[in-house]
């Protein structure tokens, strides 16, 4: 794996747009600090929502049923259309389940470079550390939750997402950002997909040589998507000649995109993407 740390100059024909893909239990609001940060560096920034997630956090808390049946197929088609609408192949960054979606978008030949931050695994990654099981247990403790939108209590969110923050900061993050998530995504893509015959919705071709470069950033203190899950996911691509790198962010939780020091994470992600960006992967149309 490369260790190039050089901060690149943006090529005149390189990416001028960044697409930020949110994860589960949050909305595009979770990127509200990254948008002006990247705009200040001269980039257009898009934060597409999953279908149904485009309404405000407070409304989704009031009626989470509107996202209970959200389809991953519809979601990836919607995100693909957003990426294809950009004139120059953009940089795609995704957090948590957005990291899995980022991998799926790159697997379709989209984007100039991808960064998966604290990524949920794509199909075939079989690492399930105890902290992950504990984090996801509120969604997995009753099969009926496969058909519901499932939320966390403030205490559960603190353990799963914001464990490096004190109680007051963790509660503020919960109040500002936390919503429910489709239970079927946790069950079917986080638990059952590896046991079903044939490729499922989160399958990607790990041996594909013709995709944009991909960086995994893993928080060393992440409970819900621990480093071992991200490292195992990155290793799945070892047969591909396309660039894949894995980097550990010591001391950082799943909330790494908003906890103190997020600016350094954002800059590391963008600098790597610019250094490795390709303009040859996005299909026309």
């Amino acid at each position: 794996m490369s260790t190039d740390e050089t901060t690149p100059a943006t090529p005149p024909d390189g990416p001028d747009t960044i697409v930020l893909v949110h994860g589960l239990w949050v909305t595009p609001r979770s990127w509200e600090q990254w948008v002006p940060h990247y705009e200040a560096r001269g980039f257009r920034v898009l934060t597409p929502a999953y279908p149904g997630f485009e309404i405000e956090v407070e409304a989704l808390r009031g009626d989470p049923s509107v996202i209970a049946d959200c389809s991953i197929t519809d979601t990836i088609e919607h995100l693909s259309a957003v990426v294809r609408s950009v004139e120059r192949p953009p940089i795609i960054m995704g957090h948590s389940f957005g990291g899995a979606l980022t991998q799926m978008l790159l697997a379709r030949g989209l984007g100039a470079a991808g960064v998966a931050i604290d990524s949920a695994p794509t199909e075939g990654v079989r690492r399930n550390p105890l902290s992950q099981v504990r984090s996801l247990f509120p969604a997995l403790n009753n099969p009926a939750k496969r058909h519901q939108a499932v939320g966390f209590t403030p205490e559960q969110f603190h353990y799963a997402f914001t464990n490096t923050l004190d109680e007051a900061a963790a509660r503020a993050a919960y109040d500002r950002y936390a919503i429910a998530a489709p239970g079927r995504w946790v069950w079917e893509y986080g638990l059952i997909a590896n046991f079903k015959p044939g490729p499922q919705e989160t399958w990607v071709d790990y041996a594909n040589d013709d995709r944009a470069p991909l960086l995994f950033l893993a928080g060393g203190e992440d409970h819900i998507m621990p480093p071992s899950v991200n490292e195992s996911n990155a290793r799945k691509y070892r047969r591909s000649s396309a660039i894949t790198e894995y980097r550990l962010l010591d001391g950082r939780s799943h909330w790494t995109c908003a906890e103190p020091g997020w600016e350094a994470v954002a800059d590391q992600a963008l600098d790597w993407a610019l250094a490795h960006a390709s303009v040859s992967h996005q299909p026309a149309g």
Side-chain angles (χ1 to χ4, degrees):
M1 293 185 178
S2 169
T3 57
D4 182 8
E5 298 288 346
T6 302
T7 300
T10 305
D13 60 346
D16 58 4
T17 301
I18 302 168
V19 178
L20 300 175
V21 185
H22 68 87
L24 292 179
W25 289 288
V26 294
T27 71
R29 183 187 288 182
S30 61
W31 295 114
E32 64 182 350
Q33 298 181 94
W34 287 47
V35 172
H37 187 74
Y38 283 159
E39 288 177 339
R41 292 187 60 173
F43 290 89
R44 176 191 182 204
V45 185
L46 305 178
T47 58
Y50 306 170
F53 284 67
E54 62 276 354
I55 62 178
E56 291 294 340
V57 167
E58 294 76 15
L60 284 171
R61 284 206 191 115
D63 183 14
S65 66
V66 299
I67 58 172
D69 295 325
C70 180
S71 160
I72 193 170
T73 302
D74 291 344
T75 299
I76 195 67
E77 292 299 332
H78 171 64
L79 295 174
S80 295
V82 170
V83 174
R84 286 193 174 98
S85 73
V86 177
E87 183 176 356
R88 298 186 197 173
I91 294 167
I92 306 171
M93 299 184 188
H95 175 252
S96 196
F97 208 98
L101 292 165
T102 295
Q103 295 179 64
M104 295 166 67
L105 290 167
L106 264 61
R108 292 183 170 208
L110 299 174
V115 182
I117 306 166
D118 297 334
S119 184
T122 41
E123 186 178 347
V125 179
R126 298 177 181 273
R127 293 286 300 177
N128 298 109
L130 287 176
S131 70
Q132 184 182 55
V133 175
R134 177 179 170 183
S135 296
L136 294 173
F137 188 70
L140 297 173
N141 61 6
N142 185 339
K145 291 182 176 179
R146 290 177 64 182
H147 309 290
Q148 302 170 4
V150 182
F152 288 133
T153 66
E155 294 74 22
Q156 291 165 343
F157 189 85
H158 193 182
Y159 178 81
F161 277 71
T162 56
N163 51 291
T164 59
L165 303 183
D166 63 30
E167 186 174 346
R171 182 55 191 253
Y174 177 87
D175 290 343
R176 176 68 181 159
Y177 300 106
I179 62 166
R184 65 185 294 263
W185 287 37
V186 182
W187 276 85
E188 296 184 18
Y189 311 127
L191 183 69
I192 300 174
N194 287 334
F195 301 98
K196 290 182 177 179
Q200 306 301 308
E201 286 94 331
T202 59
W203 180 88
V204 298
D205 180 3
Y206 293 115
N208 178 17
D209 297 328
D210 187 25
R211 64 152 172 83
L214 173 63
L215 171 65
F216 285 84
L217 292 177
E221 300 300 321
D222 191 336
H223 281 169
I224 195 169
M225 294 299 162
S228 61
V229 174
N230 278 250
E231 186 172 17
S232 180
N233 199 160
R235 288 185 181 277
K236 286 287 184 180
Y237 290 97
R238 64 188 180 275
R239 296 186 185 88
S240 170
S241 63
I243 295 171
T244 307
E245 290 193 23
Y246 166 85
R247 293 183 181 178
L248 179 66
L249 304 177
D250 287 325
R252 302 197 67 80
S253 72
H254 197 64
W255 202 239
T256 192
C257 296
E259 70 185 357
W262 64 265
E263 297 92 340
V265 178
D267 288 339
Q268 180 177 174
L270 180 55
D271 290 344
W272 186 94
L274 290 174
H276 297 86
S278 166
V279 296
S280 62
H281 288 87
Q282 182 159 315

